[in-house]
């Protein structure tokens, strides 16, 4: 009889424990990105880099669960119209085309939030055409620049899918080469910058 009572009590305790556990709400697993996807595709309708004004495209991938480290791969296309350093008789302004590749890494100190800031470093390559002066009238030249940029970003995640932002990058260009039909000139260390307004889609 005592065994039956003991078994009954144990069964009751087990049933109560099971009922209590099943009545608890499910535990919400912590996630660094509860709303924002790790992939971002961005379009930059307005960008300025060195003497060029243009547009850009970028792909960004968040690498860690905290949403603090990412790889960013942007490309910008621009045009500029200038007269170089010479504007004498018979000289016409030229429309020149340029391209900037600026891949790098980004660090978000506060992770992914509605409004968030990121700091990054990148290796940039800039190439295109320019009106170039070297001991005589300006001439059309193909140029190549390469160096390092320190980039600052402010992102506004309007919705989990759509965001806007501003970006500014500055840094030294260690390669500054200008090549015309008649000569090739390698200048010293220069300075380059890029500023843009972008809009993006997250998934």
């Amino acid at each position: 009889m005592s065994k039956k009572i003991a078994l009954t009590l144990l069964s009751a305790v087990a049933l109560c424990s099971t009922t209590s556990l099943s009545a608890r709400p499910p535990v919400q697993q912590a996630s660094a990105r509860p709303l924002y996807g790790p992939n971002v595709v961005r379009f930059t309708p307005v960008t300025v880099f060195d003497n060029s004004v243009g547009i850009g495209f970028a792909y960004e991938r968040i690498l860690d669960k905290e949403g603090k480290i990412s790889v960013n791969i942007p490309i910008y296309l621009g045009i500029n119209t200038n007269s170089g350093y010479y504007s004498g008789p018979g000289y016409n302004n030229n429309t020149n085309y340029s391209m900037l590749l600026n891949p790098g890494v980004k660090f978000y100190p506060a992770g992914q939030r509605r409004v968030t800031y990121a700091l990054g470093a990148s290796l940039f390559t800039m190439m295109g055409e320019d009106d170039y002066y070297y001991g005589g009238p300006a001439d059309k030249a193909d140029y190549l620049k390469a160096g390092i940029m320190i980039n600052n970003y402010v992102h506004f995640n309007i919705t989990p899918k759509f965001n806007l932002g501003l970006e500014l990058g500055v840094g030294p260009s260690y390669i500054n080469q200008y090549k015309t039909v008649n000569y090739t000139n390698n200048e010293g260390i220069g300075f380059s910058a890029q500023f843009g307004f972008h809009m993006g889609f997250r998934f």
Side-chain angles (χ1 to χ4, degrees):
M1 186 68 179
S2 59
K3 290 183 179 181
K4 290 183 178 181
I5 294 174
L7 289 174
T8 301
L9 290 174
L10 288 174
S11 300
V13 170
L15 180 61
C16 290
S17 299
T18 303
T19 304
S20 177
L21 288 174
S22 62
R24 294 177 184 176
V27 177
Q28 184 178 0
Q29 296 182 355
S31 174
R33 297 188 299 270
L35 296 175
Y36 310 115
N39 301 287
V40 189
V41 177
R42 292 192 174 93
F43 169 61
T44 303
V46 179
T47 184
V48 179
F49 54 95
D50 283 8
N51 296 326
S52 300
V53 177
I55 62 173
F57 304 89
Y59 171 73
E60 181 180 358
R61 170 72 183 187
I62 307 293
L63 299 178
D64 63 319
K65 292 183 178 180
E66 290 74 25
K68 293 187 175 183
I69 304 294
S70 74
V71 173
N72 188 44
I73 306 174
I75 179 172
Y76 307 97
L77 305 173
I79 60 173
N80 68 75
T81 301
N82 57 40
S83 58
Y85 297 89
Y86 180 75
S87 58
Y91 184 82
N92 296 319
N93 289 346
N94 295 318
T95 298
N96 303 309
Y97 301 92
S98 55
M99 179 175 66
L100 169 63
L101 298 172
N102 194 28
V105 295
K106 295 170 65 174
F107 172 65
Y108 295 85
Q112 302 300 304
R113 299 190 178 189
R114 181 63 62 92
V115 179
T116 187
Y117 166 79
L119 176 68
S122 60
L123 298 174
F124 76 87
T125 301
M126 193 183 303
M127 63 190 74
E129 301 173 324
D130 201 0
D131 296 336
Y132 187 65
Y133 173 85
Y134 187 69
D139 195 5
K140 179 80 76 174
D142 296 322
Y143 73 88
L144 172 66
K145 298 182 181 182
I148 300 172
M149 276 192 186
I150 301 300
N151 306 286
N152 294 271
Y153 309 86
V154 178
H155 298 300
F156 303 90
N157 291 301
I158 308 301
T159 71
K161 298 291 185 181
F162 178 72
N163 62 81
L164 301 172
L166 299 172
E167 56 192 58
L168 172 64
V170 294
S173 54
Y174 297 103
I175 297 175
N176 292 280
Q177 183 183 85
Y178 291 83
K179 184 177 182 180
T180 70
V181 176
N182 300 315
Y183 57 83
T184 298
N185 186 41
N186 293 297
E187 298 187 343
I189 296 176
F191 180 82
S192 292
Q194 183 267 329
F195 172 78
F197 163 77
H198 59 249
M199 54 185 67
F201 175 75
R202 304 190 68 138
F203 57 97

